[in-house]
Amino acid sequence: HVLTHWVPLVDNGELQGVVAVFHDITDLTRLENIRRDFVANVSHELRTPVTVIKGYAEALIDGAMETDPERARKFVGIILSHSERLAALIGDLLTLSQLEAGSMNLEKTTVRPEQVAKRAMELLQPKAARKGITIDCSGLSGAQSVLADPGRLEQVLVNLLDNAIKYTPEGGAISFSAAVKENMVRIGVKDTGVGIPPKDLPRIFERFYRVDTARSRDEGGTGLGLSIVKHIVQLHGGAVGVESEPGKGSEFWFTIKKA
Ligand code: ADP
Protein backbone atom coordinates (compact mmCIF):
# COMPACT_ATOMS: atom_id res chain seq x y z
CA HIS A 1 0.00 0.00 0.00
CA VAL A 2 1.34 3.37 -1.02
CA LEU A 3 0.02 6.76 -0.07
CA THR A 4 0.98 9.69 -2.32
CA HIS A 5 1.33 13.27 -1.14
CA TRP A 6 1.71 16.15 -3.58
CA VAL A 7 3.89 18.85 -2.10
CA PRO A 8 3.92 22.24 -3.86
CA LEU A 9 7.32 23.90 -4.30
CA VAL A 10 6.88 27.57 -3.71
CA ASP A 11 9.60 30.17 -4.16
CA ASN A 12 8.92 33.84 -3.40
CA GLY A 13 5.20 33.15 -3.49
CA GLU A 14 5.41 31.57 -6.91
CA LEU A 15 4.62 28.01 -7.64
CA GLN A 16 7.70 26.34 -9.10
CA GLY A 17 6.33 22.87 -9.34
CA VAL A 18 5.14 19.92 -7.33
CA VAL A 19 6.93 17.00 -5.81
CA ALA A 20 5.28 13.65 -5.26
CA VAL A 21 6.12 12.03 -1.93
CA PHE A 22 5.38 8.33 -1.58
CA HIS A 23 4.79 6.80 1.82
CA ASP A 24 4.77 3.08 2.26
CA ILE A 25 1.77 2.55 4.52
CA THR A 26 1.74 -1.23 4.45
CA ASP A 27 2.48 -1.38 8.18
CA LEU A 28 -0.02 1.31 9.03
CA THR A 29 -2.75 -0.41 7.05
CA ARG A 30 -1.94 -3.69 8.70
CA LEU A 31 -2.14 -2.15 12.18
CA GLU A 32 -5.38 -0.43 11.32
CA ASN A 33 -6.82 -3.74 10.11
CA ILE A 34 -5.76 -5.50 13.30
CA ARG A 35 -7.38 -2.76 15.35
CA ARG A 36 -10.58 -2.90 13.34
CA ASP A 37 -10.76 -6.70 13.57
CA PHE A 38 -10.23 -6.46 17.31
CA VAL A 39 -13.06 -3.98 17.81
CA ALA A 40 -15.34 -6.13 15.65
CA ASN A 41 -14.39 -9.23 17.64
CA VAL A 42 -14.96 -7.53 20.98
CA SER A 43 -18.35 -6.22 19.89
CA HIS A 44 -19.38 -9.64 18.69
CA GLU A 45 -18.16 -11.38 21.85
CA LEU A 46 -20.00 -8.88 24.05
CA ARG A 47 -23.18 -8.99 22.04
CA THR A 48 -23.65 -12.75 22.28
CA PRO A 49 -24.13 -13.00 26.06
CA VAL A 50 -26.10 -9.75 26.17
CA THR A 51 -28.53 -11.11 23.57
CA VAL A 52 -29.00 -14.29 25.57
CA ILE A 53 -29.51 -12.40 28.85
CA LYS A 54 -32.02 -10.07 27.22
CA GLY A 55 -33.95 -12.93 25.64
CA TYR A 56 -34.33 -14.93 28.84
CA ALA A 57 -35.12 -11.88 30.95
CA GLU A 58 -37.89 -11.01 28.48
CA ALA A 59 -39.26 -14.54 28.62
CA LEU A 60 -39.41 -14.25 32.41
CA ILE A 61 -41.23 -10.91 32.29
CA ASP A 62 -43.60 -12.25 29.66
CA GLY A 63 -44.96 -14.83 32.07
CA ALA A 64 -42.53 -17.72 32.50
CA MET A 65 -42.02 -16.43 36.05
CA GLU A 66 -45.63 -17.09 37.09
CA THR A 67 -46.70 -19.94 34.80
CA ASP A 68 -43.73 -22.24 35.16
CA PRO A 69 -41.46 -21.66 38.17
CA GLU A 70 -39.32 -24.68 37.27
CA ARG A 71 -38.55 -23.26 33.84
CA ALA A 72 -38.13 -19.79 35.30
CA ARG A 73 -35.42 -21.11 37.60
CA LYS A 74 -33.61 -22.57 34.58
CA PHE A 75 -33.81 -19.24 32.77
CA VAL A 76 -32.33 -17.43 35.76
CA GLY A 77 -29.48 -19.97 35.74
CA ILE A 78 -28.80 -19.21 32.08
CA ILE A 79 -28.89 -15.47 32.74
CA LEU A 80 -26.42 -15.95 35.58
CA SER A 81 -23.96 -18.02 33.56
CA HIS A 82 -23.98 -15.53 30.68
CA SER A 83 -23.49 -12.66 33.12
CA GLU A 84 -20.45 -14.51 34.41
CA ARG A 85 -19.18 -14.90 30.84
CA LEU A 86 -19.63 -11.21 30.30
CA ALA A 87 -17.78 -10.40 33.52
CA ALA A 88 -14.90 -12.73 32.56
CA LEU A 89 -14.66 -11.12 29.13
CA ILE A 90 -14.62 -7.60 30.51
CA GLY A 91 -12.00 -8.62 33.09
CA ASP A 92 -9.78 -10.15 30.41
CA LEU A 93 -10.20 -7.13 28.14
CA LEU A 94 -9.16 -4.79 30.94
CA THR A 95 -6.11 -6.92 31.75
CA LEU A 96 -5.13 -7.06 28.09
CA SER A 97 -5.50 -3.33 27.57
CA GLN A 98 -3.38 -2.63 30.65
CA LEU A 99 -0.75 -5.03 29.35
CA GLU A 100 -0.75 -3.48 25.90
CA ALA A 101 -0.69 0.08 27.18
CA GLY A 102 2.36 -0.84 29.23
CA SER A 103 0.59 0.43 32.34
CA MET A 104 0.90 -2.79 34.24
CA ASN A 105 3.69 -2.43 36.77
CA LEU A 106 5.43 -5.60 37.77
CA GLU A 107 6.46 -6.05 41.37
CA LYS A 108 9.16 -8.65 40.95
CA THR A 109 10.34 -10.74 43.85
CA THR A 110 11.85 -14.17 44.32
CA VAL A 111 9.08 -16.68 43.79
CA ARG A 112 8.95 -20.44 44.14
CA PRO A 113 7.09 -21.92 41.16
CA GLU A 114 5.70 -24.70 43.32
CA GLN A 115 4.03 -22.22 45.66
CA VAL A 116 2.39 -20.31 42.82
CA ALA A 117 1.24 -23.54 41.17
CA LYS A 118 -0.31 -24.66 44.47
CA ARG A 119 -2.36 -21.46 44.62
CA ALA A 120 -3.50 -21.95 41.03
CA MET A 121 -4.41 -25.53 41.88
CA GLU A 122 -6.45 -24.53 44.93
CA LEU A 123 -8.52 -22.36 42.61
CA LEU A 124 -9.02 -24.96 39.90
CA GLN A 125 -8.90 -28.28 41.72
CA PRO A 126 -12.71 -28.42 42.09
CA LYS A 127 -13.15 -27.91 38.35
CA ALA A 128 -10.63 -30.68 37.59
CA ALA A 129 -12.24 -32.98 40.15
CA ARG A 130 -15.64 -32.57 38.49
CA LYS A 131 -14.11 -34.10 35.33
CA GLY A 132 -12.07 -36.69 37.20
CA ILE A 133 -8.85 -35.06 36.00
CA THR A 134 -5.74 -35.43 38.15
CA ILE A 135 -3.17 -32.66 38.55
CA ASP A 136 0.38 -33.61 39.41
CA CYS A 137 2.65 -30.79 40.52
CA SER A 138 5.42 -32.97 41.93
CA GLY A 139 7.55 -31.88 38.94
CA LEU A 140 7.82 -28.49 40.62
CA SER A 141 8.98 -29.65 44.04
CA GLY A 142 12.39 -28.20 44.65
CA ALA A 143 12.25 -26.24 41.38
CA GLN A 144 14.59 -23.29 40.96
CA SER A 145 13.06 -20.00 42.20
CA VAL A 146 12.27 -17.33 39.62
CA LEU A 147 12.20 -13.54 39.54
CA ALA A 148 8.58 -12.58 38.93
CA ASP A 149 5.51 -10.68 40.00
CA PRO A 150 3.75 -13.39 42.02
CA GLY A 151 0.22 -12.22 41.16
CA ARG A 152 0.96 -12.12 37.45
CA LEU A 153 2.77 -15.42 37.48
CA GLU A 154 -0.24 -16.95 39.19
CA GLN A 155 -2.43 -15.58 36.42
CA VAL A 156 -0.21 -17.27 33.83
CA LEU A 157 -0.44 -20.61 35.62
CA VAL A 158 -4.18 -20.24 36.24
CA ASN A 159 -4.83 -19.55 32.54
CA LEU A 160 -2.68 -22.49 31.39
CA LEU A 161 -4.12 -24.87 33.97
CA ASP A 162 -7.67 -23.73 33.25
CA ASN A 163 -7.13 -24.43 29.54
CA ALA A 164 -5.59 -27.82 30.27
CA ILE A 165 -8.72 -28.73 32.25
CA LYS A 166 -11.11 -27.26 29.66
CA TYR A 167 -9.58 -29.10 26.72
CA THR A 168 -8.98 -32.45 28.41
CA PRO A 169 -11.70 -35.10 28.46
CA GLU A 170 -12.90 -36.84 31.63
CA GLY A 171 -10.34 -38.90 33.46
CA GLY A 172 -7.32 -37.16 31.96
CA ALA A 173 -4.09 -36.11 33.60
CA ILE A 174 -2.25 -32.82 33.90
CA SER A 175 1.31 -32.38 35.09
CA PHE A 176 3.68 -29.51 35.77
CA SER A 177 7.38 -29.56 35.05
CA ALA A 178 10.36 -27.27 35.54
CA ALA A 179 13.81 -27.26 33.99
CA VAL A 180 16.68 -24.81 34.16
CA LYS A 181 18.36 -23.66 30.97
CA GLU A 182 21.15 -21.12 31.39
CA ASN A 183 19.64 -18.15 33.25
CA MET A 184 16.04 -19.14 32.58
CA VAL A 185 13.59 -21.62 34.06
CA ARG A 186 11.23 -23.41 31.68
CA ILE A 187 7.89 -24.24 33.25
CA GLY A 188 5.60 -26.66 31.43
CA VAL A 189 1.94 -27.59 31.79
CA LYS A 190 1.18 -30.85 30.05
CA ASP A 191 -2.22 -32.43 29.45
CA THR A 192 -3.72 -35.53 27.88
CA GLY A 193 -6.35 -33.48 26.09
CA VAL A 194 -7.75 -32.96 22.60
CA GLY A 195 -4.54 -31.42 21.28
CA ILE A 196 -4.19 -28.73 18.61
CA PRO A 197 -3.95 -29.28 14.84
CA PRO A 198 -0.55 -28.20 13.42
CA LYS A 199 -2.16 -25.57 11.17
CA ASP A 200 -3.61 -23.76 14.21
CA LEU A 201 -0.46 -23.85 16.33
CA PRO A 202 1.17 -20.69 14.93
CA ARG A 203 -1.90 -18.58 15.71
CA ILE A 204 -2.94 -20.00 19.06
CA PHE A 205 -1.57 -17.06 21.12
CA GLU A 206 -3.47 -14.44 19.09
CA ARG A 207 -6.38 -12.57 20.64
CA PHE A 208 -9.69 -14.36 20.05
CA TYR A 209 -8.08 -17.15 18.03
CA ARG A 210 -9.70 -20.49 18.85
CA VAL A 211 -9.53 -23.90 17.26
CA ASP A 212 -13.18 -24.59 18.04
CA THR A 213 -15.20 -21.50 18.92
CA ALA A 214 -18.28 -23.40 20.07
CA ARG A 215 -16.26 -25.60 22.39
CA SER A 216 -14.38 -22.63 23.83
CA ARG A 217 -17.67 -20.79 24.51
CA ASP A 218 -19.25 -23.86 26.09
CA GLU A 219 -16.28 -24.04 28.41
CA GLY A 220 -16.67 -20.38 29.34
CA GLY A 221 -13.60 -19.32 27.35
CA THR A 222 -13.03 -15.74 26.25
CA GLY A 223 -10.41 -16.43 23.58
CA LEU A 224 -8.05 -14.05 25.41
CA GLY A 225 -6.40 -16.33 27.96
CA LEU A 226 -3.32 -17.26 25.93
CA SER A 227 -2.70 -13.75 24.65
CA ILE A 228 -2.71 -12.58 28.28
CA VAL A 229 -0.24 -15.37 29.11
CA LYS A 230 2.05 -14.33 26.26
CA HIS A 231 1.97 -10.65 27.23
CA ILE A 232 2.71 -11.30 30.90
CA VAL A 233 5.58 -13.68 30.08
CA GLN A 234 7.09 -11.27 27.56
CA LEU A 235 6.81 -8.43 30.05
CA HIS A 236 8.98 -10.60 32.33
CA GLY A 237 11.52 -11.07 29.52
CA GLY A 238 10.53 -14.68 28.83
CA ALA A 239 9.04 -16.62 25.93
CA VAL A 240 6.04 -18.91 25.45
CA GLY A 241 5.51 -21.97 23.31
CA VAL A 242 3.43 -25.06 22.77
CA GLU A 243 3.90 -28.58 21.54
CA SER A 244 0.83 -30.57 20.71
CA GLU A 245 -0.48 -33.65 19.01
CA PRO A 246 -4.17 -33.87 18.09
CA GLY A 247 -5.92 -36.57 20.10
CA LYS A 248 -2.92 -37.05 22.40
CA GLY A 249 -2.43 -33.83 24.30
CA SER A 250 -0.54 -30.57 24.57
CA GLU A 251 2.29 -29.06 26.50
CA PHE A 252 2.29 -25.31 26.99
CA TRP A 253 5.51 -23.86 28.36
CA PHE A 254 7.07 -20.53 29.19
CA THR A 255 10.45 -19.35 30.33
CA ILE A 256 11.15 -16.93 33.12
CA LYS A 257 14.33 -15.55 34.65
CA LYS A 258 16.07 -17.46 37.40
CA ALA A 259 16.10 -15.69 40.76
P1 ADP B 1 -10.14 -19.78 25.30
O1 ADP B 1 -10.83 -18.86 26.22
O2 ADP B 1 -10.89 -20.03 24.02
O3 ADP B 1 -9.67 -21.02 25.96
P2 ADP B 1 -7.31 -19.11 25.00
O4 ADP B 1 -6.66 -17.89 24.46
O5 ADP B 1 -6.99 -19.49 26.41
O6 ADP B 1 -8.86 -18.91 24.80
O7 ADP B 1 -6.95 -20.34 24.05
C1 ADP B 1 -7.13 -20.19 22.65
C2 ADP B 1 -7.47 -21.52 22.01
O8 ADP B 1 -6.34 -22.39 22.10
C3 ADP B 1 -8.61 -22.28 22.66
O9 ADP B 1 -9.86 -21.86 22.19
C4 ADP B 1 -8.30 -23.71 22.25
O10 ADP B 1 -8.77 -23.96 20.94
C5 ADP B 1 -6.78 -23.75 22.21
N1 ADP B 1 -6.18 -24.30 23.45
C6 ADP B 1 -5.67 -23.63 24.50
N2 ADP B 1 -5.18 -24.44 25.43
C7 ADP B 1 -5.37 -25.70 24.98
C8 ADP B 1 -5.07 -27.01 25.48
N3 ADP B 1 -4.46 -27.19 26.67
N4 ADP B 1 -5.43 -28.08 24.71
C9 ADP B 1 -6.03 -27.90 23.52
N5 ADP B 1 -6.34 -26.71 22.99
C10 ADP B 1 -6.01 -25.61 23.70
Side-chain angles (χ1 to χ4, degrees):
H1 291 81
V2 176
L3 190 72
T4 317
H5 269 318
W6 296 98
V7 181
L9 287 179
V10 182
D11 188 29
N12 268 335
E14 267 185 60
L15 186 67
Q16 306 290 318
V18 284
V19 174
V21 181
F22 301 101
H23 296 278
D24 184 346
I25 56 159
T26 311
D27 274 357
L28 279 177
T29 311
R30 201 175 55 84
L31 280 179
E32 178 56 23
N33 284 342
I34 290 175
R35 197 195 61 82
R36 202 180 317 118
D37 286 354
F38 182 64
V39 172
N41 275 329
V42 169
S43 312
H44 179 76
E45 293 293 330
L46 290 174
R47 187 175 320 141
T48 310
V50 170
T51 305
V52 174
I53 290 169
K54 190 163 170 280
Y56 283 96
E58 276 166 4
L60 284 173
I61 285 212
D62 286 349
M65 217 150 41
E66 291 85 16
T67 54
D68 192 343
E70 183 87 19
R71 226 159 59 118
R73 187 171 287 277
K74 216 175 109 193
F75 288 2
V76 173
I78 295 171
I79 289 174
L80 186 62
S81 85
H82 280 81
S83 308
E84 280 162 359
R85 225 178 100 64
L86 212 47
L89 194 60
I90 292 168
D92 278 357
L93 282 170
L94 280 175
T95 305
L96 203 59
S97 81
Q98 270 184 313
L99 281 163
E100 294 191 343
S103 59
M104 186 177 284
N105 292 321
L106 296 183
E107 304 214 358
K108 290 196 205 169
T109 55
T110 299
V111 184
R112 291 203 303 122
E114 185 183 17
Q115 208 169 357
V116 185
K118 287 234 162 91
R119 274 206 299 276
M121 272 178 71
E122 271 164 28
L123 209 66
L124 290 165
Q125 184 74 57
K127 190 169 173 177
R130 280 197 293 274
K131 291 178 82 177
I133 294 173
T134 58
I135 306 172
D136 175 11
C137 69
S138 63
L140 294 183
S141 60
Q144 162 75 44
S145 290
V146 296
L147 200 59
D149 182 316
R152 296 302 153 199
L153 187 61
E154 183 178 331
Q155 191 166 14
V156 167
L157 288 178
V158 164
N159 286 5
L160 294 181
L161 187 56
D162 188 34
N163 278 350
I165 297 168
K166 283 193 296 196
Y167 303 108
T168 296
E170 306 239 329
I174 298 168
S175 57
F176 286 98
S177 65
V180 178
K181 203 173 174 193
E182 286 156 31
N183 63 338
M184 305 295 274
V185 180
R186 176 197 187 276
I187 295 175
V189 184
K190 195 172 182 159
D191 64 54
T192 57
V194 294
I196 300 159
K199 71 167 175 49
D200 295 303
L201 280 179
R203 302 195 58 190
I204 211 76
F205 288 93
E206 284 175 25
R207 303 180 291 199
F208 292 121
Y209 192 85
R210 293 135 153 163
V211 177
D212 180 343
T213 308
R215 184 183 191 126
S216 157
R217 291 235 177 88
D218 286 349
E219 295 284 355
T222 63
L224 297 174
L226 285 180
S227 56
I228 290 174
V229 164
K230 184 175 171 184
H231 266 99
I232 294 177
V233 170
Q234 287 182 343
L235 209 55
H236 280 85
V240 293
V242 55
E243 273 134 49
S244 185
E245 203 180 320
K248 284 250 164 71
S250 313
E251 184 185 34
F252 281 84
W253 57 263
F254 62 94
T255 58
I256 195 145
K257 282 199 189 83
K258 243 166 60 173

